[in-house]
Amino acid sequence: MKNIIFMSPNFPTNYWQFCRELKNNGLNVLGIGDQPYDELLPGLKDSLTEYYKVGSLENYDEVYRAVAFFIFKYGRIDWLESNNEYWLETDARLRTDFHITSGFQTEDMAKVRHKSRMKEFYAKAGVPTARYHLVDDLEGCREFLKVVGYPAIAKPDNGVGAAGTYKIQSDEDLVRFMGDYPKHVPYIMEEFIHATINSYDAIIDSHGDPIFETGNVTISNLMEVVNTLDNSLYFIHKDLPEDTRAAGRATVKSFGVKSRFVHFEFFRLDQNQEGLGKKGDIVALEVNMRPCGGFSPDMMNFANSTNVYKIWADMIAFDRSTVPEGEHAYCAFMGRRDGKPFALSHDELLAKYGRQMKMVDRIPDALSGAMGNQMYVANFSTKEEMDAFYDDACRCI
C-alpha cells in the first residue's frame, strides 16, 4: 500500500475529495493541517488513516516533525502533495529533506515560481512571451518603457494571481510605483498585452502525457476584480481549442512536468501585437503547477461529466485514468460582489436559472478578494445561453 501525505487537506474546502479518491484507490492517506480534528468535514475524517494537527503550517519545524512521525509509524512516504499554490515551496522542501522523489524538489522551484525564469522554458516550447525587465531603479525602468511603451504591468516575480500588481500608464504612474512597491520583494515589469486570459488545465502522467485536458476563459480582468472589488466571471470550455491544447502540451514537455495536475495560463491576443503575433494567437502568461484554484475542479467535472478528483488519484495509484468523460457543456462561474444593485436578486436569479445551477454558495473570505462573495456555477449547452446568463447576473439598476 502506498503512503501519501496530503498537506492542508481541509482547505480549500473541496480538496478533501482528493483524499477520498486516494483512499478509494487503496492508498494510505495521511493528513497534516492546522485545523482541529473535530472540525474537519466528516468525509475528510473518513478518508484519512491519520491526521496530524500542527499549530501552524507556516512553522516548518512543526511540519517536518509531523512528516518524520508518519515515516516512523507507517514507513516510507511515496507521495507528498497539497495541490495548493501557497504550499508548493513547503511541499518541495519536505520532499527534498525526506528524499520523496515523486514531485518537484527545492531546486525546481525557481523555474516554476519565478515569472522571469518561466520565459526560457516557454521559449523552448515555441510559445512567445511578453518582453520584461526586472525592476531595479527609475532610470532602468524608464529605458525599458522607451522600448515597449505604456502601459506596462509590474508584479512580484514570485507570486500568483493579481496580488501586488500595478498597471503603469504614464511616467507619473511609474514614479508613484517606484515609491510604493515593497522593495524587499523582487518585481518584474512586462509590456502590456491586449488579450483575454485562457488556460490549459491537465492531469499529467509519469511520462509527461495528459490523461485529462480542459481549459477556461477569464471574462473579467482579475487585476480589476481585486483592485476595484468587481464581479468575477470565467467559464470552462465546452471543448478545448486545439491551439491551446498544443501550447499546453508543448509547455508540459518543456518544463519536464510529470505526475501532476497543472494550470497553465495563456493570453489570446485581442489585436495584432508586434513581436507577439496576430489577433487570436496564443501567448504565454505563467505556469501554475497545481489545479486551478477555488471551485474550478468541480467546474471541470460539470463541464466534462467526469471526476477530476478521481482521475488525479488514478494517476497516482495506476498512472492512468479509469474515469470516462461524458457529455460536454460550458460551465460558467459568476462571483457576485456584495453591495451592488443587481437587477435580478439572488432569488430571482435562482428562479430563472435553477435548472442549470450546479453550485450556489457563499465564497470563503480567504478567496473573496479574487472571486467575489456569492458564487453561482451553472452549465449551458451553448455559448449564447451562457452569455444570456452572464447578462442577467451582472446587470445592475
Side-chain angles (χ1 to χ4, degrees):
M1 179 183 292
K2 289 184 178 179
N3 293 321
I4 178 166
I5 292 177
F6 201 98
M7 305 292 296
S8 186
N10 55 292
F11 189 86
T13 55
N14 50 330
Y15 275 24
W16 71 269
Q17 296 175 81
F18 287 118
C19 297
R20 177 189 63 197
E21 300 304 339
L22 289 168
K23 180 184 178 183
N24 288 342
N25 279 349
L27 276 69
N28 196 36
V29 189
L30 308 167
I32 299 175
D34 54 12
Q35 186 176 14
Y37 179 79
D38 290 343
E39 297 178 8
L40 299 181
L41 292 171
L44 176 55
K45 290 180 181 178
D46 292 341
S47 302
L48 298 176
T49 300
E50 188 166 351
Y51 178 73
Y52 191 115
K53 181 192 177 300
V54 295
S56 170
L57 286 168
E58 303 277 4
N59 187 327
Y60 186 77
D61 288 341
E62 269 196 289
V63 176
Y64 182 97
R65 288 195 296 272
V67 175
F69 170 78
F70 280 147
I71 292 174
F72 172 77
K73 186 170 181 178
Y74 295 99
R76 178 175 176 269
I77 302 300
D78 299 285
W79 289 81
L80 184 147
E81 190 57 75
S82 68
N83 279 339
N84 191 320
E85 182 75 32
Y86 192 81
W87 303 117
L88 283 184
E89 292 183 75
T90 299
D91 295 348
R93 186 178 175 187
L94 289 167
R95 292 191 202 101
T96 301
D97 287 348
F98 288 100
H99 307 290
I100 303 167
T101 59
S102 54
F104 286 120
Q105 307 293 300
T106 296
E107 65 183 17
D108 300 314
M109 283 295 97
K111 73 177 182 181
V112 302
R113 292 281 292 176
H114 292 264
K115 296 174 179 63
S116 56
R117 288 291 307 278
M118 294 176 190
K119 292 178 182 290
E120 63 184 272
F121 294 93
Y122 274 126
K124 291 178 183 177
V127 185
T129 61
R131 290 171 288 182
Y132 75 101
H133 173 74
L134 291 175
V135 173
D136 45 12
D137 55 26
L138 182 61
E139 288 310 310
C141 292
R142 277 183 172 148
E143 289 301 313
F144 171 68
L145 289 167
K146 285 179 183 178
V147 176
V148 302
Y150 291 108
I153 298 294
K155 51 192 173 183
D157 191 30
N158 181 359
V160 66
T165 299
Y166 297 78
K167 186 175 183 180
I168 301 169
Q169 304 187 78
S170 65
D171 195 63
E172 291 76 16
D173 284 348
L174 175 61
V175 172
R176 189 178 304 112
F177 160 72
M178 294 301 296
D180 287 350
Y181 88 93
K183 304 303 184 293
H184 65 284
V185 178
Y187 260 67
I188 184 173
M189 186 175 291
E190 296 180 302
E191 65 179 310
F192 186 81
I193 298 181
H194 301 272
T196 301
I197 296 175
N198 63 117
S199 76
Y200 172 81
D201 298 86
I203 299 172
I204 308 300
D205 69 15
S206 66
H207 306 288
D209 297 321
I211 58 176
F212 171 80
E213 295 171 299
T214 188
N216 68 42
V217 174
T218 302
I219 299 174
S220 52
N221 183 307
L222 181 58
M223 184 171 65
E224 297 299 324
V225 170
V226 173
N227 292 341
T228 67
L229 297 180
D230 202 356
N231 303 315
S232 175
L233 293 79
Y234 71 95
F235 66 88
I236 305 292
H237 276 293
K238 184 173 183 177
D239 294 296
L240 183 65
E242 286 305 314
D243 56 355
T244 305
R245 189 189 309 274
R249 290 184 176 185
T251 303
V252 166
K253 295 298 184 182
S254 177
F255 278 85
V257 179
K258 295 179 180 179
S259 303
R260 290 202 71 76
F261 206 141
V262 299
H263 170 65
F264 296 164
E265 294 182 342
F266 297 96
F267 291 113
R268 186 176 296 279
L269 295 179
D270 292 335
Q271 61 186 50
N272 296 348
Q273 196 157 346
E274 185 177 354
L276 292 175
K278 297 180 180 180
K279 180 179 179 180
D281 284 353
I282 292 290
V283 174
L285 174 53
E286 65 183 45
V287 296
N288 298 283
M289 299 298 178
R290 43 77 182 171
C292 187
F295 298 96
S296 293
D298 303 284
M299 292 175 60
M300 295 175 197
N301 289 345
F302 301 141
N304 296 279
S305 303
T306 191
N307 183 348
V308 297
Y309 300 105
K310 169 67 171 168
I311 296 172
W312 178 81
D314 283 354
M315 176 270 294
I316 291 178
F318 316 122
D319 202 26
R320 60 182 176 84
S321 173
T322 66
V323 183
E325 286 187 38
E327 184 178 354
H328 285 205
Y330 291 96
C331 187
F333 176 91
M334 170 67 187
R336 272 181 160 186
R337 189 70 63 181
D338 288 348
K340 291 183 176 291
F342 293 108
L344 292 183
S345 69
H346 171 76
D347 290 340
E348 289 170 331
L349 197 63
L350 292 184
K352 185 167 185 178
Y353 292 100
R355 291 177 59 189
Q356 288 86 13
M357 289 292 176
K358 296 294 185 180
M359 299 177 72
V360 178
D361 207 346
R362 296 293 294 177
I363 296 172
D365 290 343
L367 303 175
S368 63
M371 298 180 66
N373 304 107
Q374 176 64 50
M375 171 188 73
Y376 305 90
V377 172
N379 261 22
F380 299 95
S381 298
T382 68
K383 190 172 184 302
E384 290 73 21
E385 293 172 325
M386 180 176 69
D387 290 343
F389 162 72
Y390 276 134
D391 288 342
D392 282 337
C394 294
R395 189 171 67 253
C396 291
I397 55 176

